[in-house]
Amino acid sequence: MDDSRFPFLDGVAGVLVDGGGRILDCTAAAERVLALPATALRGRPVRELLAGPAEGGRDGEPGPGAGWLGRATVRTGDGQVVDVELRVLTLRAAAPGDRSAARFVVLGAPGETADRWQQDQAFSRELFLQDRFGLAVFDEELNLVRTNAHLLPYSGIPTDLRGTSLRDLLQPVDAEAVEAHLREVLRTGQPLVLAEELARTVVDPRSGRMLAISAFRLQDPEGRVIGVTALFSDITEQYLARRRLALLHEATAAAAHSLSVGESAQHLAAVLAQGFADAAVVELAAAVFTGGEPLPDADGRLLLRRTGVAGPPEAVPAAGDTVLVGAEGDTEPEDPVDAWSIRVPLVARGVLLGRIWVRRDRWKDAYEEDDRVLMREIASRAALALDNARRYTREHRAAIGLQRSLLPPAVSSVAAVTTASVYLPTDTAGGVGGDWFDVIPLSSARVALVVGDVTGHGLHASATMGRLRTAVRTLADLELEPEELLVHLDDLVAQLLVESALVADIDEEAQFAVGETAADLPQGTEPVTFGGTCLYAVYDPVARVCTVASAGHPPPAVARPDGSADFLPVVPGPPLGVGGLPFESARVELPPGSVLALYTDGLIERGEGDIDAGMAELLRRLAVVAGEEQPLREAGQQLVAGLPPTRLHDDVTLLLARTKAVPADDTAVWSVDPEPAAVGRIREAATATLVEWGLADLTFTTELVLSELVTNAIRYAGGPVTVRLIRADTLTCEVSDGSATQPRMRRARLTDEGGRGLYLVAQLTNRWGSRYTPAGKTIWTEQELPPG
């Protein structure tokens, strides 16, 4: 017997027997065990070798490889009696009515080999009898040698598997992918371990079960390939559990995708409609969109708006439709829930925010209880995410409301300029920033234009912005030069930084005392900080000069009536709060009709922070809109349209100012000799000018004001005195001298001979004040012009 034909018999006493029980051939091991040569064994009946009856029974189910297993005593050629473990394998079954064609292999092993073989056979038998996983052994051509697959309750495989190929075994499952992988294992010897990527292919339509496949190549001791073993593991439950878990994670991430309630609802509906449902709808109460808590009506019902909708248009209701539900999110009687649909309420902190509705087509599998449990868990998590978005919306709206309340009107007009502004809050989770602007009327028809950016976002940034805006207005009232004003503002911010650091230390100690840490702060909470940038510009419509100073802020842009546009040549100083460094101002003459653009960095930051490109684009657009001479409000909207092109990561503030000029005929200037007689001449000249301007009604008050101010200047300051009248939106009267002493109004006692002049001036005019000049000081008053 050629042992190479039966490599699995190496070292085992094997005898080939025909259907009549006669020996046809044997292995070398059989010759050694029986102590007889193969020539003496061929043709002899097997029963002649037995020294007693054999004991045993059927081994395995009918089919290839099935046979008999037991024990027998044989007599060897040298007269010895040996106990042998026997196993009979069927190689070829007998034909009906003819046993001669049958072929069997009788395997035997004596002694310790028999015991080991018996243990191996017992293990093999138990392996093929278990039904936890499918086990199949194939030869080189992927023909089935042995399997337990028919024992698996979900397989539906018949018991008679004789001559079954791999394709037959897996029918009606598409076996092409499996066969390709098994042939690859045969070719390379690389095991295929739990190939779950095949699970989508190997789904038995007879039971709907899903199988993962492992495969290992079989070799004999000489390394010859003799077949492949395949294990089929039922992973249906694990697969479904993983799918549900993945859907839970995806739905949670979708609900928390954005701090916009509407976007989150739409993302959630889209995820649910990708496989789990054919149609998905997320309905939310109207109050959720404004940050409020939904409250049912007197009948306990809540009005919901369909916010997130996903699925075929013919299968889902239109977005924006409303529906009334009970306080628990119950469905209306005319819209029942069946086995192919699920509705779950969205409840967070005991408050009903809305509900989720999913539905499958009726030709698909109905929802199981596990699916409904999953939807309840999804709704629980989504409700928390949507409630977080709702509360953010409330805080965001409050911050925007505070921000806008602290800013001046969007459109204004004074004697020096006409202004319009645009403010766009950021879309980031930190909340609105601290961008701000202001238009401050100054004396002598001048105006201060201010824009700044406070560090940080949220309510504290808005509060800080309000404090800085108030500080700038207070400093502006002192009539300081731009660079000097920024020095004082920088000192103020530096002091606030020191105070905030002390407060932070105290708060940290207090938190430590009660066991709190920074991790206990609400998400998105930022420490209170001070600092930022500021640009301060003063425009004088009489001199038509703009003086600008910057504390770390981008320079203003200007478009002139001739079509040219550039940035003012201001040298930016350090940001506010640095302290100890000087600021510089730039003076630029601007023709009437020029358009100034003051802005924050949110307008020019584009892409990866390419500020130069943003500034160039701003300048180009400013030149275009200024040349069209359209209202500044519309021009501002055009400038911010598409800038930046992506979602806002910082506040955008834009202040446009179109310059005006006070005509030369509306000003009058006189030099006054430092002598008392000059006071009367000035009164006469001023009266004549007012009559010429049509302001005769103001002559009495103006004469009184000039008498007091010029007399004081001659008496206390000496030197040259200058008087100027300006007719703009008010009548301004200025008296300038060379003294740096500021006048102060006081209440005179009954016995005092003087001290009542400034009091009278304050009572007779609308405003008065004093400002320093390079040559000394200027005292000014303002009077309202009479109607017409």
Side-chain angles (χ1 to χ4, degrees):
M1 183 175 180
D2 185 3
D3 288 7
S4 64
R5 293 176 53 202
F6 303 95
F8 61 90
L9 298 181
D10 184 44
V12 178
V15 179
L16 182 62
V17 181
D18 63 12
R22 294 184 177 273
I23 298 176
L24 301 178
D25 207 345
C26 68
T27 64
E31 292 178 312
R32 292 193 297 272
V33 171
L34 298 176
L36 289 172
T39 54
L41 291 173
R42 293 189 183 102
R44 293 183 60 179
V46 174
R47 62 178 177 271
E48 292 183 359
L49 300 177
L50 298 178
E55 298 177 354
R58 178 182 294 275
D59 177 32
E61 298 294 330
W68 183 89
L69 181 65
R71 179 184 294 270
T73 303
V74 299
R75 190 180 302 279
T76 64
D78 56 5
Q80 297 183 15
V81 177
V82 179
D83 291 332
V84 180
E85 293 287 339
L86 294 180
R87 184 175 184 183
V88 180
L89 300 179
T90 302
L91 296 182
R92 184 192 304 163
D98 181 13
R99 294 181 52 86
S100 61
R103 293 292 184 272
F104 304 93
V105 173
V106 180
L107 305 178
E112 294 180 357
T113 302
D115 294 337
R116 184 172 62 253
W117 186 32
Q118 185 177 17
Q119 294 174 1
D120 294 342
Q121 295 304 314
F123 173 76
S124 176
R125 181 171 60 253
E126 294 299 326
L127 184 64
F128 278 91
L129 286 177
Q130 59 80 34
D131 60 358
R132 291 188 297 271
F133 57 87
L135 178 63
V137 179
F138 300 91
D139 61 15
E140 303 95 316
E141 300 302 324
L142 295 184
N143 293 318
L144 186 64
V145 175
R146 191 173 185 185
T147 182
N148 74 329
H150 58 280
L151 298 179
L152 300 179
Y154 53 80
S155 67
I157 297 176
T159 57
D160 188 4
L161 298 175
R162 285 178 244 185
T164 303
S165 67
L166 173 66
R167 290 176 178 264
D168 297 332
L169 176 65
L170 294 180
Q171 289 298 329
V173 178
D174 183 6
E176 291 185 1
V178 179
E179 181 177 351
H181 280 77
L182 293 186
R183 291 195 182 279
E184 184 68 14
V185 173
L186 279 171
R187 186 182 66 84
T188 64
Q190 184 68 31
L192 179 70
V193 180
L194 286 179
E196 296 187 20
E197 66 273 11
L198 294 177
R200 296 183 183 272
T201 301
V202 188
V203 178
D204 192 340
R206 294 164 295 205
S207 60
R209 309 301 292 183
M210 185 171 294
L211 307 179
I213 298 177
S214 300
F216 308 90
R217 189 170 72 177
L218 300 177
Q219 299 178 178
D220 64 11
E222 300 299 328
R224 290 185 291 267
V225 178
I226 60 176
V228 63
T229 298
L231 284 79
F232 300 86
S233 301
D234 183 1
I235 63 165
T236 307
E237 299 303 328
Q238 299 94 314
Y239 176 76
L240 293 178
R242 281 197 296 269
R243 283 190 58 186
R244 292 189 181 103
L245 183 60
L247 177 62
L248 177 61
H249 290 326
E250 291 177 11
T252 303
H257 169 79
S258 169
L259 288 174
S260 167
V261 174
E263 288 185 14
S264 298
Q266 184 57 46
H267 278 84
L268 177 59
V271 168
L272 294 176
Q274 294 176 357
F276 183 76
D278 295 299
V281 177
V282 179
E283 300 166 335
L284 297 175
V288 175
F289 296 91
T290 58
E293 287 195 1
L295 296 175
D297 58 16
D299 297 328
R301 297 178 302 174
L302 191 64
L303 182 65
L304 303 182
R305 181 191 307 168
R306 292 190 173 106
T307 307
V309 175
E314 65 278 4
V316 295
D321 291 350
T322 57
V323 58
L324 275 172
V325 299
E328 301 298 327
D330 299 331
T331 309
E332 305 84 339
E334 63 272 13
D335 194 14
V337 177
D338 53 29
W340 286 267
S341 62
I342 303 175
R343 280 187 175 86
V344 287
L346 291 166
V347 179
R349 299 180 299 107
V351 178
L352 177 65
L353 304 179
R355 65 179 185 178
I356 305 174
W357 167 60
V358 295
R359 187 180 66 192
R360 283 178 181 169
D361 294 334
R362 289 185 174 272
W363 59 270
K364 296 184 178 180
D365 293 337
Y367 286 114
E368 301 175 355
E369 182 57 29
D370 288 342
D371 296 324
R372 300 182 186 278
V373 172
L374 172 64
M375 278 303 303
R376 287 193 288 269
E377 180 63 24
I378 289 176
S380 175
R381 297 190 181 192
L384 292 176
L386 291 171
D387 186 60
N388 183 52
R390 178 193 66 82
R391 289 189 290 171
Y392 167 77
T393 301
R394 181 186 61 197
E395 298 296 329
H396 188 67
R397 288 168 62 90
I400 292 178
L402 174 62
Q403 184 91 341
R404 295 191 185 279
S405 69
L406 296 174
L407 296 176
V411 178
S412 64
S413 180
V414 293
V417 293
T418 299
T419 64
S421 61
V422 178
Y423 172 69
L424 300 177
T426 179
D427 294 331
T428 59
V432 296
D435 289 12
W436 57 284
F437 67 93
D438 208 345
V439 179
I440 307 173
L442 301 177
S443 63
S444 305
R446 298 173 306 145
V447 66
L449 305 173
V450 192
V451 66
D453 189 357
V454 173
T455 304
H457 293 83
L459 287 174
H460 80 272
S462 298
T464 303
M465 176 272 291
R467 298 176 71 174
L468 292 186
R469 179 171 177 251
T470 301
V472 170
R473 277 190 163 264
T474 303
L475 294 173
D477 194 54
L478 297 177
E479 303 277 3
L480 301 175
E481 292 296 323
E483 66 275 16
E484 188 178 354
L485 182 143
L486 291 182
V487 169
H488 288 283
L489 187 63
D490 181 55
D491 290 341
L492 173 64
V493 172
Q495 294 176 21
L496 293 177
L497 285 171
V498 173
E499 292 177 4
S500 66
L502 293 176
V503 171
D505 292 340
I506 294 174
D507 289 344
E508 185 176 354
E509 292 177 1
Q511 289 177 358
F512 178 77
V514 298
E516 294 181 350
T517 64
D520 299 317
L521 294 174
Q523 186 176 2
T525 300
E526 297 183 11
V528 178
T529 59
F530 295 92
T533 63
C534 180
L535 185 136
Y536 185 83
V538 175
Y539 175 67
D540 186 348
V542 177
R544 304 175 185 178
V545 171
C546 182
T547 306
V548 187
S550 170
H553 203 84
V558 60
R560 295 176 174 81
D562 60 5
S564 62
D566 56 13
F567 292 98
L568 297 188
V570 58
V571 179
L576 297 175
V578 174
L581 296 175
F583 297 93
E584 299 181 23
S585 63
R587 293 173 56 87
V588 180
E589 185 174 347
L590 297 178
S594 300
V595 178
L596 275 169
L598 285 69
Y599 53 91
T600 55
D601 53 5
L603 182 64
I604 58 176
E605 288 180 345
R606 311 190 65 188
E608 299 295 330
D610 189 356
I611 295 181
D612 292 338
M615 294 179 67
E617 180 66 12
L618 171 62
L619 206 61
R620 184 189 68 79
R621 293 193 176 201
L622 181 62
V624 172
V625 299
E628 297 175 353
E629 297 185 357
Q630 58 181 316
L632 289 182
R633 191 176 185 89
E634 286 75 6
Q637 295 297 333
Q638 290 189 22
L639 286 176
V640 301
L643 267 176
T646 56
R647 210 173 159 190
L648 294 179
H649 296 288
D650 196 3
D651 287 8
V652 172
T653 299
L654 173 65
L655 174 62
L656 296 179
R658 181 174 279 124
T659 62
K660 303 177 185 179
V662 175
D665 293 340
D666 287 342
T667 60
V669 181
W670 300 277
S671 294
V672 182
D673 296 330
E675 57 182 10
V679 177
R681 294 194 295 269
I682 285 299
R683 287 200 301 266
E684 294 175 358
T687 299
T689 300
L690 292 179
V691 172
E692 181 182 350
W693 286 349
L695 302 178
D697 294 342
L698 302 180
T699 55
F700 175 76
T701 302
T702 304
E703 288 181 356
L704 183 60
V705 168
L706 287 176
S707 296
E708 176 64 27
L709 296 182
V710 173
T711 300
N712 287 343
I714 293 174
R715 177 182 300 178
Y716 300 110
V721 177
T722 303
V723 175
R724 183 170 70 163
L725 294 180
I726 303 173
R727 182 179 66 171
D729 52 355
T730 61
L731 176 64
T732 301
C733 179
E734 295 180 350
V735 177
S736 303
D737 57 48
S739 173
T741 303
Q742 290 279 4
R744 289 181 175 81
M745 183 175 61
R746 64 183 180 87
R747 183 176 296 276
R749 291 173 295 183
L750 294 176
T751 57
D752 290 343
E753 296 183 359
R756 297 176 177 83
L758 285 181
Y759 178 79
L760 292 175
V761 169
Q763 296 301 312
L764 295 174
T765 60
N766 297 101
R767 285 204 314 159
W768 79 278
S770 176
R771 66 176 183 269
Y772 290 107
T773 65
K777 70 174 183 298
T778 296
I779 302 175
W780 54 268
T781 65
E782 289 182 355
Q783 302 176 62
E784 290 185 0
L785 299 180

